[in-house]
Amino acid sequence: MTARSVRARRIGWPAVLAVASLLTVMCVSLLFAAIRNDDSIEAHLGTANATVESVAFDRTIIQYGTPDGIVHSPPNGVLYPSGLSAGQLVLIEYDATDPDLARVAGRSATLTLLPLGTTVLFTWLIAGPLLWWLRRLIKRDRAARPAPEPAALPLS
């Protein structure tokens, strides 16, 4: 066993733990962000019919008009867009004080629970056994290391 592989194992355990923890914190933060967005929309609720302009992997762009006659197209897309297709008319709810914050009517942050929950679950299903295996290797390396010899006492 080389000193380099032992060092790699000792670095690997905290690295795996840090990555898994970071992904978990990010998922929990996304859930709280979705809840906060829903609260903002519900505090100043406006509704409108919107046209779905484009559907891409990262966002679904819509266009809708508010009662003041201004046409809005949120640059970040609409919240909870699953199942929408380009050209479709859809009822949306938006924050009247910030019209760029819009969601499909009837949908809420509860839709984020499944994808975020499965992300956290699979992260720890991979990280857990990997952490156990790395910890086991580190303990085996410690047990195989020779015990230090006691220092010789000076004769006087």
Side-chain angles (χ1 to χ4, degrees), residues 4 14 30-31 52-54 73 77 80 82 98 122 149-150:
R4 186 176 185 175
L30 281 172
L31 176 62
V52 178
E53 297 294 319
S54 69
S73 182
Y80 323 120
S82 62
D98 179 16
F122 285 115
E149 294 182 20

Side-chain angles (χ1 to χ4, degrees), residues 37-121:
N37 285 340
D38 282 353
D39 287 344
S40 293
I41 290 171
E42 289 168 7
H44 308 283
L45 186 63
T47 59
N49 287 319
T51 305
V52 178
E53 297 294 319
S54 69
V55 177
F57 169 74
D58 58 342
R59 67 186 58 143
T60 299
I61 301 297
I62 61 169
Q63 194 171 44
Y64 66 95
T66 53
D68 57 3
I70 299 173
V71 175
H72 295 277
S73 182
N76 293 325
V78 65
L79 301 173
Y80 323 120
S82 62
L84 299 181
S85 57
Q88 184 177 3
L89 281 175
V90 62
L91 182 64
I92 62 149
E93 299 170 337
Y94 64 93
D95 181 353
T97 61
D98 179 16
D100 286 341
L101 184 59
R103 69 178 179 200
V104 176
R107 299 183 184 179
S108 68
T110 56
L111 291 175
T112 62
L113 291 175
L114 182 62
L116 295 177
T118 54
T119 300
V120 170
L121 175 69

Side-chain angles (χ1 to χ4, degrees), residues 121-141:
L121 175 69
F122 285 115
T123 296
W124 287 103
L125 281 177
I126 294 168
L130 187 57
L131 288 169
W132 174 81
W133 179 71
L134 286 169
R135 195 67 170 159
R136 191 170 150 238
L137 291 177
I138 291 168
K139 284 183 179 183
R140 188 179 67 189
D141 291 342

